Structure formats: structure tokens, C-alpha cells
Amino acid sequence: MIARITSILIFAMFVTGCVTTNEVTGRSQFITIPASQDEALGLQALNEVKDSNDHVQTSGAMVEKVRRIGQRIVKVSDNPSLNWEFIVIDEPVLNAWALPGGKVAVYSKMIENLTEAELAAVLGHECAHAILRHGAEQVSRSQVQQLAVVGLGAAAGLATEDEKTASLAVALGSLAAQGFVALPHSRDMELEADHVGTIYMAKAGYDPRNAVALWKKMSGLKEGGGSQPTFLSTHPSDGKRIERLESRMTEYLGYYKP
Ligand SMILES: [Zn+2]
């Protein structure tokens, strides 16, 4: 019985102890991973990508371009001091992603199809994901879902002590290692990254109307068939994103100094 109560208490402490207010957005976020671990976790995940994918580029013309635009964004962002790293994955995929600690990847098909300002919109969006800690937040949400299952099992007395310990370890460990790239961001996180990312691109000297141009172009590329446009994800729809961006364009243009 004491073990059961302890399990429930640990679960409750775990859940309630991790709500922080994001300094950039003012939104409450549930994150179980301390910010001090972002760098190590992001670097570990990045190294796993580099080790397992022969198409990763860390030098050359495409990387130089992405790095140059990325650094312009980072300089005016809310967290220039992260250990930023930009890589290119030379694959015919319309995608880009960001890892905790500021590790950003752009696929070559994006670079080939977008103008510099549209690429700045992509990089603004990805840098915003990293700064707003969306990867850690997504992994934390998944951990809670797993822990809830473990906790309920424990409360009902269904699991032995060994089973509980084992599944708790799995719940905490496995997602942190793989989740950052694999787990899709929620709809709200996507819209938040669009918003903050467009402010960054405008502050960096890129006309923010190119963020709208980017989503329109991505829609067109999607309709044209070809490879899966994973950057669009399934939510929110590009129509929704465009509508949101257009409704706040006056604000974004206020940050834009050509
Ligand atoms: Zn995104």
C-alpha cells in the first residue's frame, strides 16, 4: 500500500512540478526536462542523425547559405546565446526541423525551391521552435501519457515493483532519445512558431510578407505532387496559417527595417 501511495505521489509531483511560464510568449508550458539539459539532449540527437544519415552536410554552399540566414535570425532572436548549429540534409524532401539547444536542419529541396526571404521564414519558424522549447514540451506531454498508464496500473495494483520501475524508466528514457525529431508539434506550437518566427525574420531585415508567400508556395508544391511536404505537417492547415499571418501583418511590418 505504501508503495502504491508513493507511486501516485511521485507521479503527482512530477506532473505539478514542471509547469513554467515561457519568457517570450507568457504561455504556461508543461516541461519535465530542465533547460540546462537542452544542449546535451539536442547534441545527442543531432549526432545520432549525423551518424545514421549519409546525406547530412555540415559544409559546402548550401550549408553556408542556411548558416548565413540562420545567424541573421539568431542575432535578433530572444536567445542568441544558444549553441546554434545549422546543417543541410541533401534529400528531395520539403522539410526542416529544430532540436533542443538550437540545432536546425533544412532539407535540400527546400533550399532549391525557396527564395532567400522564404528560407528566412522557414529558419525563423525553426529557430522559434528551439527557443520556445517546443521539442522538450512535446516529449514531456508524451511522457505524461505514458506515466499516466504506469501510474494507473500501479494504483490498481496491477504491476509488480519491478514492472513499475522498468516501465517508468522506459517512459522517461526512450522518448527523450528519439522523440525530438519523430514527434510532431501540436497545432498551437506550429502557430506560435509561425508568429514568433515571423517577428524574427522581420527584425533580421527580411520582408515578413514572405512568410505568407512561403506557405502559399508550399501549398502549390504539395498540390503539384512529388515528395511528401512534411514541413506542412497535417495541422494546422496552410489556409489557417496564412489567415493568421495576414491578420497580424501590420504588427510584423512594424518590426521590419529594410
Ligand atoms: Zn513547425
Side-chain angles (χ1 to χ4, degrees):
M1 192 59 188
I2 288 167
R4 246 180 252 173
I5 292 167
T6 309
S7 305
I8 295 163
L9 275 179
I10 289 170
F11 179 64
M13 281 161 57
F14 179 80
V15 170
T16 54
C18 315
V19 177
T20 55
T21 303
N22 190 291
E23 286 174 17
V24 179
T25 61
R27 180 170 67 84
S28 291
Q29 286 179 296
F30 170 76
I31 302 181
T32 58
I33 300 161
S36 58
Q37 283 185 26
D38 279 6
E39 168 64 19
L41 289 167
L43 195 60
Q44 185 195 334
L46 182 71
N47 285 335
E48 281 171 21
V49 171
K50 285 179 178 173
D51 289 345
S52 62
N53 189 330
D54 293 340
H55 302 128
V56 169
Q57 294 188 353
T58 54
S59 62
M62 283 194 290
V63 176
E64 306 268 302
K65 185 176 185 180
V66 168
R67 198 170 283 162
R68 178 172 54 78
I69 303 168
Q71 287 300 343
R72 266 176 77 168
I73 302 271
V74 161
K75 210 186 277 182
V76 298
S77 78
D78 291 291
N79 202 345
S81 63
L82 287 179
N83 196 7
W84 292 95
E85 183 169 348
F86 297 90
I87 63 164
V88 169
I89 301 179
D90 189 11
E91 288 175 3
V93 183
L94 287 168
N95 199 17
W97 44 253
L99 296 168
K103 321 295 174 201
V104 179
V106 182
Y107 287 70
S108 55
K109 189 171 178 181
M110 284 289 234
I111 302 164
E112 287 155 10
N113 281 278
L114 303 179
T115 64
E116 170 153 345
E118 288 163 352
L119 214 44
V122 171
L123 286 162
H125 177 98
E126 295 305 333
C127 291
H129 273 316
I131 288 169
L132 302 174
R133 306 195 65 220
H134 286 162
E137 187 177 12
Q138 196 64 46
V139 166
S140 304
R141 287 183 188 177
S142 303
Q143 284 177 339
V144 168
Q145 283 164 8
Q146 291 201 7
L147 279 172
V149 174
V150 176
L152 286 173
L158 298 175
T160 67
E161 282 308 305
D162 282 354
E163 280 166 353
K164 273 183 278 185
T165 310
S167 44
L168 196 68
V170 169
L172 287 171
S174 69
L175 276 158
Q178 303 171 356
F180 299 122
V181 177
L183 288 171
H185 291 120
S186 73
R187 180 181 177 281
D188 288 352
M189 291 179 204
E190 287 304 327
L191 292 173
E192 198 170 78
D194 282 353
H195 174 61
V196 174
T198 308
I199 293 174
Y200 291 164
M201 78 178 283
K203 283 184 174 174
Y206 293 103
D207 188 332
R209 284 167 290 207
N210 286 288
V212 173
L214 164 72
W215 294 113
K216 286 185 175 163
K217 189 182 265 188
M218 293 295 283
S219 275
L221 289 168
K222 182 171 62 174
E223 278 158 19
S227 60
Q228 195 67 21
T230 23
F231 182 68
L232 288 169
S233 70
T234 50
H235 53 229
S237 69
D238 10 323
K240 180 82 193 164
R241 310 184 96 135
I242 290 167
E243 193 188 300
R244 280 284 191 102
L245 288 169
E246 281 179 334
S247 73
R248 302 184 80 160
M249 194 49 72
T250 314
E251 179 189 344
Y252 302 137
L253 284 165
Y255 291 107
Y256 175 48
K257 306 272 180 291

